[in-house]
Amino acid sequence: MKISNARKGSNKLLNQAKSSKNDEFYTILSDIEKELRHYKKHFKNKTVLCNCDDPRVSNFFHYFSYNFEQLGLKKLITTCYKNQQMELFSTHDSERAIWLEYNGDKNKNKIPEPSEIGLHHFKKDGDFRSEECIELLKEADIVVTNPPFSLFREYVGQLVKYKKKFLIIGTWNAVSYKETIPLIKNNKMWIGVNSNRNFSGFIVPEHYPLHGTEARIDEDGNRIVSSNNNCWFTNLDIAKRHEELILYKKYNKTEFPTYDNLNAIEVSKTNDIPIDYDGVMGVPITFLDKFNPNQFEIVGAHDQNYVNGKKLYKRILIKHKKI
């Protein structure tokens, strides 16, 4: 399928973010609501940390503060990196950063008001890797945020180190990172419910170009870019993870050729996985959106795949657990 110029432009921006550390992609509230509704049972009596957000304008803070009682939260903590301005996109050049603590509605009007929110100043810059932020991380039960694309590897590594539950946004490219694939293989991280075009887009600042018909300015004046390359990563169990993929095709050498450089067969579409093949199969990375750990075993990932001399995209290597 040909990708529209709009989606090409948006994906290019996301790729540039990883290389230039230009990470100002802010999550739309409706996308947060659409994903979080699948995890409500996990939040009762839990402390939630959003540690990559300006808490005064973050849609993650908005969602959790307005749904604090409904979710049965214990505490909400959000941190801000070097931002003292009441703006969505700052230059990150203020001397001090802040973090907010919310413990629920006190006056029973169901609105998180400033008088109910504790404001605290960091001694340093509020970077999620700082000692101050790590202390807040230790206190948290679940971390939910949109971390910097350029620091995704390091961010996930920290969550694993401190054994935290999490629900975060990343790009599909992160699936095949050498730091990430072992977590997926060992069932320590998996794909959430919504991905690709189920994302409405991301809010971006003025200096980001808006290309194509899918880039837009919404009714509130927010500049929105769309992408077909994003997904949620989590280690919170969800019903989708236990749905079995229905297969119907049978193996034949013509339709499923063996790689030139790998003892595995090429399966170009997830729905075409042969039901009767007991060896290793290379499937698109988007297979992970359908991955059921009771149905398949992930063997690994491979970047350089060739069939009859033709190079293919990255592949996840899998096997049936039962034929």
Side-chain angles (χ1 to χ4, degrees), residues 255-322:
E255 188 172 1
F256 304 105
T258 301
Y259 293 115
D260 301 345
N261 59 325
L262 193 65
N263 186 22
I265 63 169
E266 160 67 6
V267 181
S268 59
K269 296 180 181 178
T270 296
N271 289 334
D272 290 345
I273 293 173
I275 195 170
D276 57 345
Y277 189 78
D278 63 358
V280 178
M281 301 173 281
V283 295
I285 59 175
T286 51
F287 156 82
L288 293 175
D289 192 39
K290 305 290 185 181
F291 174 52
N292 179 335
N294 296 318
Q295 186 177 14
F296 297 100
E297 171 192 355
I298 294 177
V299 179
H302 208 259
D303 290 343
Q304 304 291 329
N305 307 287
Y306 295 87
V307 172
N308 297 324
K310 181 181 178 181
K311 184 178 179 180
L312 305 177
Y313 289 106
K314 296 177 181 179
R315 291 291 187 257
I316 299 294
L317 304 179
I318 66 169
K319 290 183 69 175
H320 282 285
K321 278 199 168 180
K322 49 189 177 182

Side-chain angles (χ1 to χ4, degrees), residues 222-262:
N222 295 315
R223 297 162 57 84
I224 310 293
V225 297
S226 298
S227 170
N228 69 332
N229 190 37
N230 289 92
C231 59
W232 294 85
F233 291 89
T234 189
N235 58 359
L236 297 169
D237 197 27
I238 44 178
K240 172 191 170 186
R241 180 167 159 76
H242 304 286
E243 295 173 355
E244 188 158 316
L245 180 62
I246 304 301
L247 303 173
Y248 65 96
K249 286 204 170 185
K250 293 192 174 183
Y251 169 72
N252 66 79
K253 292 183 179 180
T254 302
E255 188 172 1
F256 304 105
T258 301
Y259 293 115
D260 301 345
N261 59 325
L262 193 65

Side-chain angles (χ1 to χ4, degrees), residues 163-231:
K163 300 179 180 179
K164 296 300 171 181
K165 295 293 185 181
F166 59 85
L167 177 62
I168 61 176
I169 295 173
T171 69
W172 275 105
N173 297 330
V175 164
S176 57
Y177 293 164
K178 65 180 182 180
E179 299 88 350
T180 305
I181 192 63
L183 300 175
I184 296 174
K185 178 181 176 182
N186 295 315
N187 290 312
K188 294 183 178 180
M189 181 170 77
W190 45 87
I191 304 300
V193 176
N194 293 289
S195 63
N196 296 340
R197 296 184 66 81
N198 284 333
F199 276 85
S200 304
F202 295 93
I203 304 172
V204 296
E206 289 291 333
H207 61 273
Y208 279 60
L210 296 181
H211 293 301
T213 57
E214 293 188 29
R216 66 191 188 280
I217 298 177
D218 69 13
E219 62 273 11
D220 297 318
N222 295 315
R223 297 162 57 84
I224 310 293
V225 297
S226 298
S227 170
N228 69 332
N229 190 37
N230 289 92
C231 59

